[in-house]
């Protein structure tokens, strides 16, 4: 990783994703998380403040080691025990059927081999376990899709691989047969980057 990915991007992510508009969505996504928990794309640790009180420990992974310095103060201040690991979600070392819950917030957009990562999420979940997610992605509006497709090559460069045009529901459904998803625009965000998929996928 270069200086931009290691030093600049983590601070930009911390600033942009700290926007209060995202706080309510974090609360909604994390409200029913329980048991053994894995969070992929932990980033600067912004979800820590929104986990339910009964969650005592989470395992977190992030491929960008530059995120850890920003996440550390939040980890120290949290009552949750955090096992922080610098890992790529496309190849997880955890055994099959390890976790009750897996969490991903605004992460699937940036994983290069996203289908492999979702297959890994499915693998490490216990039967009956749930994948909780919120992601931005491909709009239902064809006019917005045109701009998402045009801007994605630039977005990938400036946002460390982030895609504006991934159909998150379809990607998750490729690996989970039980998927419930809400799709909507976030107010006050540009439509090209503000179309959200919020859902829960259950391992049958």
């Amino acid at each position: 990783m270069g200086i931009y990915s290691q030093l600049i991007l983590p601070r930009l992510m911390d600033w942009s994703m700290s926007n209060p508009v995202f706080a309510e969505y974090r609360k909604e996504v994390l409200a029913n998380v329980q048991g053994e928990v894995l969070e992929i794309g932990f980033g600067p640790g912004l979800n820590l403040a929104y986990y339910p009180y009964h969650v005592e420990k989470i395992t977190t992974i992030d491929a960008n080691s530059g995120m850890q310095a920003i996440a550390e103060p939040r980890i120290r201040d949290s009552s949750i025990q955090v096992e922080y690991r610098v890992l790529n979600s496309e190849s997880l070392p955890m055994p099959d059927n390890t976790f009750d819950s897996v969490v991903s917030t605004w992460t699937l957009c940036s994983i290069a081999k996203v289908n492999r990562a979702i297959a890994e999420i499915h693998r490490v979940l216990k039967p009956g376990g749930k994948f909780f997610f919120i992601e931005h992605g491909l709009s239902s509006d064809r006019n917005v899709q045109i701009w998402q497709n045009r801007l994605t090559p630039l977005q990938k460069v400036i946002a460390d691989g982030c895609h504006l045009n991934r159909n998150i529901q379809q990607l998750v459904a490729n690996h989970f047969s039980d998927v419930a998803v809400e799709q909507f625009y976030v107010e006050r965000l540009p439509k090209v980057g503000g179309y959200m998929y919020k859902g829960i996928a259950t391992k049958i």
Side-chain angles (χ1 to χ4, degrees):
M1 290 187 176
I3 291 175
Y4 178 77
S5 292
Q6 283 275 296
L7 298 177
I8 299 173
L9 182 67
R11 286 159 178 78
L12 287 175
M13 290 294 294
D14 187 43
W15 170 75
S16 62
M17 298 309 295
S18 295
N19 189 325
V21 74
F22 298 122
E24 195 60 37
Y25 298 119
R26 296 184 193 276
K27 292 177 187 176
E28 292 173 5
V29 169
L30 297 171
N32 295 310
V33 170
Q34 61 183 349
E36 296 291 324
V37 181
L38 171 68
E39 181 176 335
I40 68 165
F42 186 63
L46 290 167
N47 284 339
L48 271 178
Y50 302 100
Y51 274 95
Y53 71 92
H54 58 261
V55 174
E56 297 179 353
K57 177 185 175 182
I58 60 174
T59 301
T60 69
I61 66 168
D62 201 288
N64 186 337
S65 59
M67 295 288 184
Q68 188 167 5
I70 299 175
E72 276 298 334
R74 293 189 174 105
I75 294 172
R76 288 196 302 268
D77 290 343
S78 176
S79 61
I80 300 173
Q81 180 185 348
V82 177
E83 181 184 344
Y84 187 102
R85 305 180 69 175
V86 180
L87 289 173
N88 192 312
S89 58
E90 298 163 2
S91 181
L92 298 174
M94 296 83 172
D96 296 357
N97 308 322
T98 298
F99 297 100
D100 300 287
S101 303
V102 177
V103 172
S104 170
T105 58
W106 298 290
T107 296
L108 298 180
C109 60
S110 300
I111 300 173
K113 297 177 181 177
V114 66
N115 271 299
R116 184 179 296 179
I118 298 171
E120 282 288 87
I121 290 169
H122 185 274
R123 180 184 67 79
V124 301
L125 273 171
K126 297 174 183 178
K130 297 182 184 296
F131 175 36
F132 300 86
F133 61 90
I134 184 166
E135 307 285 347
H136 71 95
L138 187 70
S139 171
S140 58
D141 185 327
R142 289 182 179 272
N143 291 325
V144 177
Q145 288 178 11
I146 291 170
W147 282 102
Q148 289 179 314
N149 291 329
R150 286 176 178 171
L151 293 173
T152 286
L154 176 61
Q155 177 76 358
K156 287 167 64 178
V157 172
I158 64 176
D160 203 26
C162 175
H163 294 67
L164 297 168
N165 59 353
R166 284 183 169 169
N167 186 325
I168 301 299
Q169 180 166 353
Q170 184 59 59
L171 287 168
V172 175
N174 287 342
H175 304 277
F176 288 84
S177 58
D178 184 349
V179 184
V181 181
E182 299 175 47
Q183 298 183 36
F184 55 92
Y185 286 109
V186 175
E187 293 183 11
R188 302 190 300 278
L189 289 184
K191 287 187 174 182
V192 71
Y195 192 79
M196 299 294 161
Y197 295 73
K198 180 169 70 73
I200 302 172
T202 304
K203 181 175 179 177
I204 303 301

